[in-house]
Amino acid sequence: MNTAFSNFPTLQTERLLLRSVSEQDAAPIHKLQSDPVVNAFVGRENSSTLESAKAYILRMETLVQKNECMYWVIASKNDSSFIGCVCLWNYDQENEIVEIGYEMLSELQGKGFMTEALNAVIAFTFDTMKAKLITAFPSADNLSSVAILKKLHFVFENEAYNNKHQNIKNLTTYTLRPKDF
């Protein structure tokens, strides 16, 4: 499975640009991580400062540099505005499994942005990284997230796979294989 990239891969869709995270994203990431609606489903405490968002960005940049994750900011092609994030991480090289995670500003949910972004990332994961399985671990209470996964042909499984999540109520496992995408 290919997880080492000399240049961070920028992805594009009809409406979106998926790019690397940078310090310019501190304010919108702080807003995202301070959103109680989003945080309720990801088991995260509300971010209290802009500095904590900057520290998070630095941590993501370091993980990307170490080839331990891919972290895209989802931005509008029209005006470059921040919409959300998609991350590939928790690599299981031996079994060629990658976990996908995603979140977006609550006021932008329901417009199809996440489905569009995930389609691009899933294609990259199977076609370029050559993963054999993508896992996702949403809360069963996050009906919108589960609906997106089902729309993208993820299936519910009772196996935990590479799950490292804590503090998420009603955690479930969904998987996607290349043949189903």
Side-chain angles (χ1 to χ4, degrees):
M1 188 169 71
N2 183 17
T3 59
F5 298 93
S6 55
N7 294 314
F8 186 86
T10 299
L11 308 177
Q12 294 189 48
T13 69
E14 183 179 332
R15 300 180 295 168
L16 305 173
L17 176 68
L18 283 76
R19 59 168 175 78
S20 61
V21 66
S22 69
E23 193 169 325
Q24 75 182 25
D25 300 308
I29 285 178
H30 169 63
K31 181 178 180 183
L32 179 66
Q33 294 184 345
S34 298
D35 186 328
V37 174
V38 173
N39 289 340
F41 293 123
V42 297
R44 177 178 58 216
E45 295 293 322
N46 286 345
S47 175
S48 58
T49 67
L50 194 56
E51 290 307 311
S52 63
K54 289 178 183 177
Y56 178 80
I57 290 169
L58 182 59
R59 191 167 73 243
M60 292 301 104
E61 289 174 328
T62 300
L63 289 171
V64 168
Q65 290 169 357
K66 292 167 66 176
N67 299 318
E68 294 179 12
C69 87
M70 300 295 294
Y71 188 89
W72 287 274
V73 165
I74 305 167
S76 168
K77 266 190 179 175
N78 289 340
D79 59 11
S80 300
S81 61
F82 180 98
I83 295 171
C85 304
V86 179
C87 182
L88 296 174
W89 71 297
N90 205 2
Y91 302 151
D92 176 347
Q93 287 285 2
E94 182 180 335
N95 297 300
E96 299 176 305
I97 299 173
V98 175
E99 180 180 344
I100 195 167
Y102 48 91
E103 56 187 339
M104 69 185 303
L105 295 170
S106 57
E107 67 266 21
L108 298 174
Q109 294 176 7
K111 300 178 185 330
F113 293 131
M114 191 54 72
T115 301
E116 190 174 327
L118 290 177
N119 261 315
V121 172
I122 291 166
F124 173 85
T125 306
F126 288 141
D127 298 342
T128 304
M129 293 180 71
K130 304 297 184 194
K132 300 282 192 256
L133 181 73
I134 301 174
T135 58
F137 302 103
S139 166
D141 300 330
N142 191 342
L143 301 179
S144 297
S145 182
V146 170
I148 289 170
L149 292 172
K150 288 179 177 179
K151 184 177 188 177
L152 293 169
H153 308 288
F154 279 75
V155 294
F156 174 81
E157 287 198 33
N158 280 324
E159 192 171 329
Y161 287 98
N162 51 347
N163 178 8
K164 295 181 179 177
H165 296 279
Q166 300 174 7
N167 304 322
I168 299 176
K169 294 177 183 172
N170 300 316
L171 190 71
T172 58
T173 300
Y174 281 82
T175 60
L176 181 66
R177 288 168 176 77
K179 65 179 180 58
D180 299 321
F181 178 61

